[in-house]
Amino acid sequence: TTCAQYEKVRGKSSQQCRRFPDVLPEDNDRGTTQAGKHHQMWYFLLTQLNDLTKKSVIVWTGHQRHFRVRDKAMLCHLWSRHNGKKQDVKWDSVCRIMRSTGKNGLMMAVPSEEHRGRNKDGEFGFVIEPAFYLKMTREDLDRKIRLHCENGPLTVGSPIDSSWGYPEGTQLEVIPMMQLDQEGNVIQSSIPDPSYITVLPISPNQFIQPQFESTHSSLNSSSSTTMSIPSS
């Protein structure tokens, strides 16, 4: 069972009392398909979040297991295509499905901090730990989100040091937000030349400047290791 999504307080609406658990509980017995064929909405969203080419559509925010839908029309198209529909469903319909998912204790909209009784536009979060369904540990998913969230170093190309868990000198591939065509496929001509950041030594008292490596740099040097982060 999951932690309560609401803590009722006298004089306040359930919307105002809603909160995310401080530590997401594990719930590894959820079904991932509907009618044994298509993915359920929550699992579909999770697979899209795990696809690093879809950052321009849906991306982790970097806070807990919150995520942001950046391109609502494209997400609706991808969901419709996944379900074999010829016409795209509307965003309102997708939101209704998300709300029903919330009632099942899987995910919910993120409440707005500025407007009481409202939600942040396009921002949602899981209320259970989803790492199991990606065949990852909680720690592995923590690190992937930190690296690839919307402002993460492997999204924007900012430097990191070895406190992130990678040996000094390791080269990590930057995967920025990419342009997609109308079908949700990456436009090949828009893909930038691969670039890498080099893991630097820990220097807490020194500002770290980005260090980028092109595909023609010293990637074959024996003193460094090149790593790409898989999309799944």
Side-chain angles (χ1 to χ4, degrees):
T1 58
T2 61
C3 294
Q5 297 179 36
Y6 300 89
E7 289 184 355
K8 187 61 179 173
V9 177
R10 183 182 296 275
K12 291 187 177 182
S13 67
S14 58
Q15 177 80 3
Q16 291 173 295
C17 297
R18 187 172 44 153
R19 68 176 186 84
F20 285 84
D22 293 330
V23 178
L24 298 184
E26 294 186 3
D27 186 351
N28 301 338
D29 298 319
R30 299 282 184 158
T32 59
T33 59
Q34 50 189 359
K37 186 176 181 181
H38 302 297
H39 292 158
Q40 293 186 28
M41 171 61 81
W42 72 271
Y43 186 68
F44 168 79
L45 294 172
L46 192 59
T47 61
Q48 298 305 298
L49 285 163
N50 200 45
D51 183 347
L52 300 181
T53 68
K54 297 295 193 297
K55 291 179 182 180
S56 62
V57 179
I58 183 171
V59 65
W60 297 108
T61 67
H63 178 66
Q64 289 189 326
R65 299 296 189 252
H66 295 186
F67 60 89
R68 191 186 322 280
V69 179
R70 295 175 51 88
D71 189 333
K72 297 173 183 176
M74 179 56 70
L75 185 70
C76 289
H77 175 71
L78 293 173
W79 172 246
S80 301
R81 188 176 67 178
H82 173 71
N83 285 281
K85 297 183 181 297
K86 294 183 179 180
Q87 291 188 334
D88 290 352
V89 298
K90 303 294 185 183
W91 173 246
D92 287 346
S93 298
V94 171
C95 284
R96 282 196 293 272
I97 300 173
M98 288 183 175
R99 284 196 293 270
S100 67
T101 301
K103 293 178 181 179
N104 293 329
L106 286 162
M107 51 177 272
M108 66 183 187
V110 177
S112 173
E113 298 172 355
E114 300 176 355
H115 304 287
R116 290 186 176 182
R118 298 183 184 179
N119 300 322
K120 290 186 177 181
D121 184 34
E123 191 168 333
F124 303 85
F126 290 94
V127 295
I128 66 169
E129 174 53 61
F132 170 83
Y133 298 97
L134 295 174
K135 296 181 172 56
M136 302 173 71
T137 65
R138 188 187 297 255
E139 293 72 23
D140 287 341
L141 184 54
D142 279 342
R143 181 160 64 172
K144 183 169 185 177
I145 290 175
R146 286 180 66 202
L147 289 168
H148 288 284
C149 65
E150 55 189 345
N151 293 315
L154 294 188
T155 298
V156 301
S158 58
I160 64 173
D161 59 32
S162 55
S163 66
W164 286 66
Y166 291 101
E168 177 185 341
T170 301
Q171 292 178 321
L172 304 175
E173 183 178 2
V174 177
I175 304 178
M177 295 186 184
M178 302 179 184
Q179 277 188 286
L180 306 180
D181 62 22
Q182 294 181 345
E183 293 303 314
N185 301 311
V186 176
I187 299 175
Q188 295 298 316
S189 61
S190 71
I191 299 177
D193 291 335
S195 62
Y196 299 81
I197 59 172
T198 301
V199 178
L200 303 177
I202 298 176
S203 52
N205 298 321
Q206 181 180 357
F207 176 73
I208 304 176
Q209 293 287 348
Q211 290 192 5
F212 295 96
E213 303 288 351
S214 70
T215 51
H216 302 293
S217 63
S218 57
L219 297 183
N220 296 323
S221 171
S222 59
S223 62
S224 63
T225 303
T226 302
M227 297 183 65
S228 297
I229 306 300
S231 61
S232 60

